[in-house]
Amino acid sequence: GPGGQTESTRAISLHAGYATAHHGYGGYFACIGRRNDALTEAKRAQELDPLAPIMTFERGLAFYYNRDYDKAIEQLQETLALDADFPPAHGELPAAYELKGMYDQAVAGFRKGLAVRGTNEWYFSMSGLAHVYAVSGKTGEGRAVLNQLRLPSER
């Protein structure tokens, strides 16, 4: 809300080179739908701290929400080059592939995410996998994945 904006602008005014402040401000803009401002802040944060996977990830996410999937994919791949086990990138990269119609890459990405992500995030990768199978016409595979998501009492 407005408090987040006030805190971010104050942090930036005190120290314009503080990447985390730009990162937070970009997140605020994304939440209120100001996508171009979110991209600007994400770019600045990444420039200030280029080796931090979170900064590259957030820039990829800003491109994703701006429906620029090519640039999102590029940034999310860069995130994984910085940290191959960075959990959020393993969810967003295959989602971007899916939206580009790159279904094989999306399936491979969600499958890789199953091995990397924590137990709680396993469900995110599984539901993403089921969805990509469904939209790519592989309904049998999608149903098989959904069956794995059901509780034993529901099967």
Side-chain angles (χ1 to χ4, degrees):
Q5 180 183 17
T6 303
E7 289 173 14
S8 294
T9 54
R10 178 156 168 71
I12 290 169
S13 70
L14 291 172
H15 186 33
Y18 185 42
T20 302
H22 290 280
H23 165 247
Y25 206 22
Y28 166 77
F29 283 136
C31 287
I32 64 168
R34 289 174 56 180
R35 293 186 180 127
N36 287 334
D37 291 328
L39 279 168
T40 299
E41 292 300 323
K43 180 181 182 199
R44 184 69 183 126
Q46 184 186 25
E47 288 169 350
L48 290 166
D49 196 355
L51 298 181
I54 187 66
M55 302 307 175
T56 303
F57 170 76
E58 289 293 340
R59 188 167 182 208
L61 201 57
F63 281 125
Y64 179 91
Y65 288 135
N66 219 31
R67 295 185 177 96
D68 190 340
Y69 302 120
D70 289 325
K71 288 182 181 173
I73 288 167
E74 179 183 308
Q75 290 297 308
L76 294 166
Q77 287 174 334
E78 188 175 325
T79 302
L80 291 173
L82 291 169
D83 180 355
D85 294 332
F86 192 77
H90 284 285
E92 296 302 329
L93 179 57
Y97 283 139
E98 179 184 334
L99 288 167
K100 288 238 347 146
M102 300 168 70
Y103 300 129
D104 291 342
Q105 291 91 330
V107 167
F110 282 125
R111 289 201 173 279
K112 185 171 183 183
L114 290 173
V116 174
R117 300 171 75 83
T119 304
N120 292 337
E121 293 168 318
W122 177 85
Y123 291 98
F124 182 86
S125 291
M126 287 294 283
S127 61
L129 191 57
H131 189 267
V132 77
Y133 279 139
V135 299
S136 65
K138 296 181 177 180
T139 54
E141 290 92 330
R143 281 193 197 99
V145 172
L146 285 176
N147 193 48
Q148 293 178 57
L149 283 167
R150 291 190 183 140
L151 295 172
S153 62
E154 297 174 335
R155 291 183 189 160

